[in-house]
Amino acid sequence: MARTNANKGLLIVVSGPSGAGKGTVMRYVFEKCPNMRYSVSVTTRAPREGEKDGVEYFFRSADEFTEMLHNDEFLEHQKVYDNYYGTPRRFVEDLLDKGFDVLLEIDVKGALVVKRRRPDTVMIFLTPPDRGTLEKRLRGRSTETEEQLAVRLDAAIGEMKRASEYDYVVVNKDAGVAAEEIASIIRAEKCSARRNKYFLENLIYGGNSGYDD
Amino acid sequence: MARTNANKGLLIVVSGPSGAGKGTVMRYVFEKCPNMRYSVSVTTRAPREGEKDGVEYFFRSADEFTEMLHNDEFLEHQKVYDNYYGTPRRFVEDLLDKGFDVLLEIDVKGALVVKRRRPDTVMIFLTPPDRGTLEKRLRGRSTETEEQLAVRLDAAIGEMKRASEYDYVVVNKDAGVAAEEIASIIRAEKCSARRNKYFLENLIYGGNSGYDD
């Protein structure tokens, strides 16, 4: 098929500190982008009540995880407390090949690993509009002590320091606007010249453009 | 002001061969982007009936044009038949400084000069979906001979060969969709990490983010 390149979905990473408001924004983004799918991560942690294998996570034993790691089956993986989490490369590639855009909601460290391995990944950093809002959102969501809050605020600032390594920075002042911006980024990226090389070649040198229905 | 960088408008170039359908698409884009302004070119050609200086063009004598050229007052300029046309740098910069996005509708040659001089220019190439459509549109607009048509088709193909040097390729199969894509590109570019450096610095290291109304 002529437009393989253009028909393949986009790999999209969205990161942002807790307090950025990812949950609400991404819910709106999914409403606007019916062609998008979440990646399902692999984890060694035990399933919680009601969680199904392949839905919330792929649940695997530590040995199975290690085996996958040896086989280079992860786009990125991390240890969080005593459990491992990984983004399964094959699962993601299959969705992309089918034309779905795939969303990875991962932290900065994992995100930058993915970008290194797949430079065509669209990297979006979601940030609160200012420190005051960040603090207010962190305070609002839990009954933490001031000390715990300070730790989370520090972690958030630490993540924001890496935002300039992303392709895009979306400011979540209003969740609807932020979602619209993310949808626009996805739309724009599909028009990027480098993603349309095959289309251009076909247009200029003949062949089916893939636009004739 | 803290967000100088983000408040400044975008310089946007849209090129495309005749037959790409720029006129209709750009009319829709302007409806969607009230913050956008056309750049007004300088020309040495005589004003036609009803044309006003500073509206359709800035009308200047050949001597005045040469003087401007010596003073490096053009972002790009070209000779078309016996007349000169140029994009006035100062006029464009003033609009950008005021926060307007400025649209240059220029041909590939001029566009690539602008990109070299202002690498932050957003370069959009509008293309017909396929050769058949291109030919049909070229035929539809005039009563040219087959020979003249072949010349125009050749010129169009020649321009399209440079499309990969642009940032974005927008396919005009449907003018409304193409316009929405261009509007999305503009929106996305405003979120690019490199255009939000000052915002990020202020967010991380303090100062007014500019988002507190």
Side-chain angles (χ1 to χ4, degrees):
Chain A
M1 175 179 282
R3 283 182 65 242
T4 314
N5 201 32
N7 284 332
K8 196 168 168 168
L10 292 182
L11 181 58
I12 302 149
V13 161
V14 174
S15 307
S18 39
K22 275 199 300 292
T24 312
V25 171
M26 293 317 295
R27 209 157 45 239
Y28 290 147
V29 172
F30 272 92
E31 280 168 22
K32 289 171 195 289
C33 304
N35 192 46
M36 198 157 74
R37 296 288 178 275
Y38 260 115
S39 165
V40 175
S41 292
V42 178
T43 184
T44 59
R45 84 153 165 75
R48 292 183 192 137
E49 185 72 35
E51 285 184 339
K52 285 199 187 70
D53 185 54
V55 179
E56 289 82 5
Y57 287 95
F58 294 109
F59 296 100
R60 296 293 179 265
S61 70
D63 281 353
E64 284 168 330
F65 197 98
T66 307
E67 172 82 12
M68 289 180 77
L69 191 57
H70 281 302
N71 294 334
D72 194 28
E73 289 181 44
F74 295 115
L75 272 173
E76 58 83 40
H77 80 285
Q78 285 183 66
K79 192 176 181 182
V80 181
Y81 301 107
D82 282 338
N83 294 305
Y84 288 92
Y85 294 82
T87 303
R89 182 197 299 276
R90 181 64 176 277
F91 178 78
V92 168
E93 294 293 347
D94 281 351
L95 284 170
L96 293 173
D97 285 340
K98 283 178 190 151
F100 292 112
D101 301 319
V102 178
L103 181 83
L104 306 183
E105 213 182 289
I106 52 181
D107 75 355
V108 172
K109 211 176 128 201
L112 295 174
V113 170
V114 172
K115 181 70 175 179
R116 209 157 50 233
R117 295 187 150 202
R118 300 248 335 199
D120 63 337
T121 305
V122 180
M123 303 277 290
I124 302 172
F125 193 92
L126 189 71
T127 169
D130 49 61
R131 270 183 191 244
T133 307
L134 172 65
E135 224 179 296
K136 209 163 63 188
R137 286 186 190 152
L138 286 179
R139 262 180 218 287
R141 65 161 55 182
S142 64
T143 52
E144 287 174 334
T145 65
E146 281 302 306
E147 204 173 274
Q148 287 167 324
L149 188 74
V151 169
R152 305 224 311 171
L153 203 56
D154 255 18
I157 300 287
E159 290 224 301
M160 292 194 294
K161 283 184 181 167
R162 312 294 301 271
S164 60
E165 296 172 59
Y166 282 63
D167 301 314
Y168 298 96
V169 174
V170 171
V171 180
N172 179 15
K173 187 177 181 186
D174 174 285
V177 172
E180 186 53 43
E181 288 179 350
I182 292 176
S184 293
I185 289 166
I186 294 167
R187 207 159 188 181
E189 282 283 337
K190 285 176 190 283
C191 298
S192 76
R194 83 195 124 76
R195 293 191 205 273
N196 285 282
K197 270 192 193 132
Y198 294 140
F199 166 72
L200 284 175
E201 278 168 23
N202 280 314
L203 182 60
I204 296 163
Y205 301 105
N208 185 345
S209 74
Y211 275 88
D212 301 64
D213 295 335
Chain B
M1 176 180 278
R3 283 183 65 239
T4 313
N5 200 34
N7 284 333
K8 197 168 169 169
L10 293 182
L11 183 58
I12 301 149
V13 161
V14 174
S15 308
S18 40
K22 276 200 299 292
T24 311
V25 171
M26 293 317 294
R27 209 158 45 241
Y28 289 148
V29 172
F30 272 93
E31 281 169 20
K32 289 170 193 288
C33 303
N35 192 47
M36 198 156 75
R37 297 289 178 273
Y38 260 116
S39 166
V40 176
S41 293
V42 178
T43 184
T44 58
R45 84 153 165 73
R48 292 182 193 136
E49 186 72 33
E51 285 184 340
K52 285 200 186 70
D53 185 53
V55 178
E56 288 83 6
Y57 286 97
F58 294 109
F59 296 100
R60 296 291 180 267
S61 71
D63 280 352
E64 286 168 328
F65 196 98
T66 307
E67 173 81 11
M68 289 180 78
L69 191 58
H70 281 302
N71 294 333
D72 194 27
E73 288 183 46
F74 294 116
L75 273 174
E76 57 84 39
H77 80 285
Q78 286 183 66
K79 193 177 182 182
V80 181
Y81 300 107
D82 282 338
N83 295 305
Y84 288 93
Y85 294 82
T87 303
R89 182 196 299 275
R90 182 64 176 277
F91 178 77
V92 168
E93 293 293 346
D94 281 352
L95 284 170
L96 293 173
D97 285 340
K98 283 178 189 152
F100 292 112
D101 301 319
V102 178
L103 181 83
L104 307 183
E105 213 183 288
I106 52 181
D107 75 355
V108 171
K109 211 176 128 202
L112 295 174
V113 170
V114 172
K115 181 70 175 178
R116 210 157 50 232
R117 296 188 150 201
R118 302 248 336 201
D120 62 337
T121 305
V122 180
M123 303 278 290
I124 302 171
F125 193 92
L126 189 72
T127 169
D130 50 60
R131 270 183 191 245
T133 307
L134 172 65
E135 225 179 293
K136 208 163 66 188
R137 287 186 190 152
L138 286 179
R139 264 181 217 286
R141 64 161 56 184
S142 64
T143 52
E144 287 174 333
T145 64
E146 282 302 305
E147 204 173 272
Q148 285 168 323
L149 188 74
V151 169
R152 306 220 316 168
L153 203 58
D154 255 17
I157 300 286
E159 290 225 302
M160 293 195 293
K161 282 183 181 168
R162 311 293 302 268
S164 61
E165 296 173 58
Y166 282 62
D167 301 314
Y168 298 97
V169 174
V170 171
V171 179
N172 180 15
K173 185 176 183 186
D174 173 285
V177 172
E180 185 53 42
E181 287 179 349
I182 291 175
S184 293
I185 289 165
I186 294 167
R187 207 160 189 180
E189 281 285 336
K190 285 176 189 284
C191 298
S192 76
R194 83 197 123 75
R195 293 192 205 273
N196 285 281
K197 270 192 194 135
Y198 294 140
F199 166 73
L200 283 174
E201 277 168 23
N202 280 314
L203 182 60
I204 296 163
Y205 301 105
N208 186 345
S209 73
Y211 274 89
D212 300 67
D213 294 336

